[in-house]
Amino acid sequence: MELTLRWAERSKKYFEEHKNEVPWTSNGHVGTAALGCPGERSSLGFAGGIRADRQESGLRSAGQPRAAVPTYEGRTQSLFGIVQGGMDLALRKESAERTIEIGFPGYAIGGLSVGEPRERTREVVEATLEHLPADKPRYLMGVGTPEEIVEYSRLGVDMMDCVLPTRAARHGLLFTSEGKISIKQARYAQDAAPLDPNCRCRVCQRYSRAYLRHLYASNEVLAQVLNTQHNLSFYLDTMRRVRHSIRLGEE
C-alpha cells in the first residue's frame, strides 16, 4: 500500500508536467519525437493521426485536396489513482483516503480477483466504495463474469476490465442467455441450433452449435475468432442492459 501511494504521488507529478506532450505534437500530427522514430514519420498513429501523417509525407495523390488535420489541443488522458490494501478493510480505508488526498480524476480498486473467494472480493469492494467519491469514476480492476458486472454496477462501480471473455473463448467456454456452454462437449456435435437463440450477434445468426464445435475440435483458428466475437458481443449487450437499467432508475 505504501509503495503504491509513493508511486501515485510520483506518477501524478510527472503526468501533470508532461500530459500535453504526447502522443501528438502541438500541430496535431503524430510526430517522430512522440513515436521515437528519428528522421522519418512513422505510418503508425493515434486517433486518426495516420492519414494526416501520410498526407504530410507526400503520399497523397497529386491534386488531391489536403484533409483537415485533427487538433488535440486541451485533450489529455486521465490518470487514476489505485486503491490497495489487500483484504484488510482498515488498510483499504486508509489507502482510499490518502489516494483521494493526492487527487485524481478517477479511482481504481486494485489487488482483487487474484484467487480469493468471490464472497471476500465483494466484501472488500463494497467496503472500499464507501470511501470513494461518488462524483468521480470508480474502476474495479480485473472483474469479471457477466453476473459480477451486473452486481458491481449495482454497488456503484462505473468501469471494469477483464480478459475473461477472450480467454474463455479460446478454451471453448461461451456465455449465453441460457448459461455457460462448453462448446467442446460431444453433445453439441449434431446440434443445429444457434449458440444463443436470444443473441443477435452475427455468430449466433449464422452458425450452429455443431459447426462451432467442429471448428474447435479441429483446432481451427476460426473457432477462436468466432467464439471471441460472440463472447464480446454478449458482454457488450450486458453493459447495454446495465446502462438502460440505470437510466430507468432500476437496481
CSV table of all heavy atoms in Angstrom, one decimal, residues 11-12 15-16 19 22 24 74-82 103-108 136-137 139 159:
chain,number,residue,atom,x,y,z
A,11,SER,N,3.8,9.6,-10.0
A,11,SER,CA,3.1,9.5,-11.2
A,11,SER,C,2.3,10.7,-11.5
A,11,SER,O,2.3,11.3,-12.7
A,11,SER,CB,2.1,8.3,-11.3
A,11,SER,OG,2.9,7.1,-11.2
A,12,LYS,N,1.6,11.2,-10.5
A,12,LYS,CA,0.8,12.4,-10.8
A,12,LYS,C,1.6,13.6,-11.1
A,12,LYS,O,1.3,14.4,-12.0
A,12,LYS,CB,-0.1,12.7,-9.5
A,12,LYS,CG,-1.0,14.0,-9.8
A,12,LYS,CD,-1.8,14.4,-8.6
A,12,LYS,CE,-2.6,15.6,-8.9
A,12,LYS,NZ,-3.4,16.1,-7.8
A,15,PHE,N,2.9,13.2,-14.6
A,15,PHE,CA,1.8,13.3,-15.5
A,15,PHE,C,1.4,14.7,-15.8
A,15,PHE,O,1.2,15.2,-16.9
A,15,PHE,CB,0.7,12.5,-15.0
A,15,PHE,CG,-0.5,12.5,-16.0
A,15,PHE,CD1,-0.6,11.6,-17.1
A,15,PHE,CD2,-1.6,13.3,-15.7
A,15,PHE,CE1,-1.7,11.6,-17.9
A,15,PHE,CE2,-2.7,13.3,-16.6
A,15,PHE,CZ,-2.7,12.5,-17.7
A,16,GLU,N,1.3,15.5,-14.7
A,16,GLU,CA,0.9,16.9,-14.8
A,16,GLU,C,1.9,17.7,-15.5
A,16,GLU,O,1.6,18.6,-16.3
A,16,GLU,CB,0.6,17.5,-13.4
A,16,GLU,CG,-0.6,16.9,-12.7
A,16,GLU,CD,-1.9,17.2,-13.4
A,16,GLU,OE1,-2.0,18.2,-14.1
A,16,GLU,OE2,-2.8,16.3,-13.4
A,19,LYS,N,1.7,15.9,-19.5
A,19,LYS,CA,0.5,15.4,-20.1
A,19,LYS,C,0.1,16.0,-21.5
A,19,LYS,O,-0.6,15.5,-22.3
A,19,LYS,CB,-0.7,15.6,-19.2
A,19,LYS,CG,-1.1,17.0,-18.9
A,19,LYS,CD,-2.2,17.1,-17.9
A,19,LYS,CE,-2.6,18.5,-17.6
A,19,LYS,NZ,-3.7,18.6,-16.6
A,22,VAL,N,2.6,14.2,-25.2
A,22,VAL,CA,2.5,13.0,-26.0
A,22,VAL,C,1.0,12.6,-26.1
A,22,VAL,O,0.2,13.0,-25.2
A,22,VAL,CB,3.3,11.9,-25.4
A,22,VAL,CG1,4.8,12.2,-25.5
A,22,VAL,CG2,2.9,11.7,-23.9
A,24,TRP,N,0.9,13.2,-29.3
A,24,TRP,CA,0.9,14.1,-30.5
A,24,TRP,C,1.7,15.4,-30.3
A,24,TRP,O,2.0,15.8,-29.2
A,24,TRP,CB,-0.5,14.4,-30.9
A,24,TRP,CG,-1.4,14.7,-29.8
A,24,TRP,CD1,-1.4,15.9,-29.0
A,24,TRP,CD2,-2.3,13.8,-29.1
A,24,TRP,NE1,-2.3,15.7,-28.0
A,24,TRP,CE2,-2.9,14.5,-28.0
A,24,TRP,CE3,-2.7,12.5,-29.4
A,24,TRP,CZ2,-3.8,13.9,-27.2
A,24,TRP,CZ3,-3.6,11.9,-28.6
A,24,TRP,CH2,-4.2,12.6,-27.5
A,74,GLY,N,-5.8,20.7,-25.7
A,74,GLY,CA,-6.5,20.6,-24.4
A,74,GLY,C,-7.0,19.2,-24.1
A,74,GLY,O,-7.6,19.0,-23.1
A,75,ARG,N,-6.7,18.3,-25.0
A,75,ARG,CA,-7.2,16.9,-24.7
A,75,ARG,C,-6.0,16.1,-24.1
A,75,ARG,O,-4.9,16.1,-24.6
A,75,ARG,CB,-7.6,16.2,-26.0
A,75,ARG,CG,-8.8,16.9,-26.6
A,75,ARG,CD,-9.3,16.0,-27.8
A,75,ARG,NE,-10.2,16.7,-28.6
A,75,ARG,CZ,-10.8,16.2,-29.7
A,75,ARG,NH1,-10.5,15.0,-30.1
A,75,ARG,NH2,-11.7,16.9,-30.4
A,76,THR,N,-6.3,15.4,-23.0
A,76,THR,CA,-5.3,14.5,-22.4
A,76,THR,C,-5.9,13.2,-22.0
A,76,THR,O,-7.2,13.1,-22.0
A,76,THR,CB,-4.6,15.2,-21.2
A,76,THR,OG1,-5.6,15.3,-20.2
A,76,THR,CG2,-4.0,16.5,-21.5
A,77,GLN,N,-5.1,12.3,-21.5
A,77,GLN,CA,-5.6,11.1,-20.9
A,77,GLN,C,-6.0,11.4,-19.5
A,77,GLN,O,-5.7,12.5,-19.0
A,77,GLN,CB,-4.6,10.0,-21.0
A,77,GLN,CG,-4.3,9.5,-22.4
A,77,GLN,CD,-3.2,8.4,-22.4
A,77,GLN,OE1,-2.2,8.6,-21.7
A,77,GLN,NE2,-3.4,7.4,-23.1
A,78,SER,N,-6.6,10.5,-18.8
A,78,SER,CA,-6.9,10.6,-17.4
A,78,SER,C,-6.1,9.7,-16.6
A,78,SER,O,-6.0,8.5,-16.9
A,78,SER,CB,-8.4,10.4,-17.1
A,78,SER,OG,-9.2,11.4,-17.7
A,79,LEU,N,-5.5,10.1,-15.5
A,79,LEU,CA,-4.7,9.3,-14.6
A,79,LEU,C,-5.5,9.0,-13.4
A,79,LEU,O,-5.9,9.9,-12.7
A,79,LEU,CB,-3.4,10.1,-14.2
A,79,LEU,CG,-2.4,9.3,-13.4
A,79,LEU,CD1,-1.8,8.1,-14.1
A,79,LEU,CD2,-1.3,10.2,-12.8
A,80,PHE,N,-5.7,7.7,-13.2
A,80,PHE,CA,-6.4,7.2,-12.0
A,80,PHE,C,-5.5,6.8,-10.9
A,80,PHE,O,-4.4,6.2,-11.1
A,80,PHE,CB,-7.3,6.0,-12.4
A,80,PHE,CG,-8.6,6.4,-13.1
A,80,PHE,CD1,-8.7,7.5,-13.9
A,80,PHE,CD2,-9.7,5.6,-13.0
A,80,PHE,CE1,-9.8,7.8,-14.6
A,80,PHE,CE2,-10.9,5.9,-13.6
A,80,PHE,CZ,-11.0,7.0,-14.4
A,81,GLY,N,-5.9,7.1,-9.7
A,81,GLY,CA,-5.2,6.6,-8.5
A,81,GLY,C,-5.7,5.2,-8.2
A,81,GLY,O,-6.9,4.9,-8.3
A,82,ILE,N,-4.8,4.3,-7.7
A,82,ILE,CA,-5.2,2.9,-7.4
A,82,ILE,C,-5.2,2.6,-5.9
A,82,ILE,O,-4.2,2.9,-5.3
A,82,ILE,CB,-4.3,1.9,-8.1
A,82,ILE,CG1,-4.3,2.1,-9.7
A,82,ILE,CG2,-4.7,0.5,-7.8
A,82,ILE,CD1,-3.4,1.2,-10.4
A,103,GLY,N,-5.3,13.4,-5.1
A,103,GLY,CA,-6.3,14.0,-6.0
A,103,GLY,C,-6.1,13.4,-7.4
A,103,GLY,O,-5.1,13.6,-8.1
A,104,PHE,N,-7.1,12.7,-7.9
A,104,PHE,CA,-7.1,12.2,-9.3
A,104,PHE,C,-8.5,12.3,-9.9
A,104,PHE,O,-9.5,12.5,-9.1
A,104,PHE,CB,-6.8,10.7,-9.2
A,104,PHE,CG,-5.4,10.4,-8.8
A,104,PHE,CD1,-5.1,10.1,-7.5
A,104,PHE,CD2,-4.4,10.4,-9.8
A,104,PHE,CE1,-3.8,9.8,-7.1
A,104,PHE,CE2,-3.1,10.1,-9.4
A,104,PHE,CZ,-2.8,9.8,-8.1
A,105,PRO,N,-8.6,12.3,-11.2
A,105,PRO,CA,-9.9,12.4,-11.8
A,105,PRO,C,-10.8,11.2,-11.7
A,105,PRO,O,-12.0,11.2,-12.1
A,105,PRO,CB,-9.6,12.7,-13.3
A,105,PRO,CG,-8.2,12.2,-13.5
A,105,PRO,CD,-7.5,12.4,-12.2
A,106,GLY,N,-10.2,10.1,-11.3
A,106,GLY,CA,-10.9,8.8,-11.1
A,106,GLY,C,-10.1,7.9,-10.2
A,106,GLY,O,-8.9,8.1,-10.0
A,107,TYR,N,-10.8,6.9,-9.7
A,107,TYR,CA,-10.1,6.0,-8.7
A,107,TYR,C,-10.3,4.5,-9.1
A,107,TYR,O,-11.5,4.1,-9.4
A,107,TYR,CB,-10.6,6.3,-7.3
A,107,TYR,CG,-10.2,7.7,-6.9
A,107,TYR,CD1,-11.1,8.7,-7.1
A,107,TYR,CD2,-8.9,8.0,-6.4
A,107,TYR,CE1,-10.7,10.1,-6.8
A,107,TYR,CE2,-8.6,9.3,-6.0
A,107,TYR,CZ,-9.5,10.3,-6.2
A,107,TYR,OH,-9.1,11.6,-5.9
A,108,ALA,N,-9.3,3.7,-9.0
A,108,ALA,CA,-9.4,2.3,-9.3
A,108,ALA,C,-9.2,1.5,-8.0
A,108,ALA,O,-8.5,1.9,-7.1
A,108,ALA,CB,-8.3,1.9,-10.3
A,136,LYS,N,-16.8,10.9,-9.0
A,136,LYS,CA,-15.6,10.5,-9.8
A,136,LYS,C,-15.8,9.1,-10.3
A,136,LYS,O,-16.3,8.3,-9.6
A,136,LYS,CB,-14.3,10.7,-9.0
A,136,LYS,CG,-14.0,12.1,-8.5
A,136,LYS,CD,-13.7,13.0,-9.6
A,136,LYS,CE,-13.4,14.4,-9.1
A,136,LYS,NZ,-12.1,14.5,-8.3
A,137,PRO,N,-15.3,8.8,-11.5
A,137,PRO,CA,-15.4,7.4,-12.0
A,137,PRO,C,-14.7,6.4,-11.0
A,137,PRO,O,-13.6,6.7,-10.5
A,137,PRO,CB,-14.7,7.4,-13.3
A,137,PRO,CG,-14.7,8.8,-13.7
A,137,PRO,CD,-14.7,9.7,-12.5
A,139,TYR,N,-13.4,2.5,-10.8
A,139,TYR,CA,-12.9,1.5,-11.7
A,139,TYR,C,-12.5,0.3,-10.9
A,139,TYR,O,-11.5,0.3,-10.1
A,139,TYR,CB,-11.8,2.0,-12.6
A,139,TYR,CG,-10.9,1.1,-13.3
A,139,TYR,CD1,-11.4,-0.1,-13.9
A,139,TYR,CD2,-9.6,1.4,-13.5
A,139,TYR,CE1,-10.6,-1.0,-14.6
A,139,TYR,CE2,-8.7,0.5,-14.2
A,139,TYR,CZ,-9.2,-0.6,-14.7
A,139,TYR,OH,-8.4,-1.5,-15.4
A,159,MET,N,-16.6,1.3,-14.0
A,159,MET,CA,-15.8,0.7,-15.0
A,159,MET,C,-15.2,-0.6,-14.5
A,159,MET,O,-14.8,-0.7,-13.4
A,159,MET,CB,-14.7,1.7,-15.4
A,159,MET,CG,-15.1,3.1,-15.8
A,159,MET,SD,-13.8,4.3,-15.8
A,159,MET,CE,-12.7,3.6,-17.1
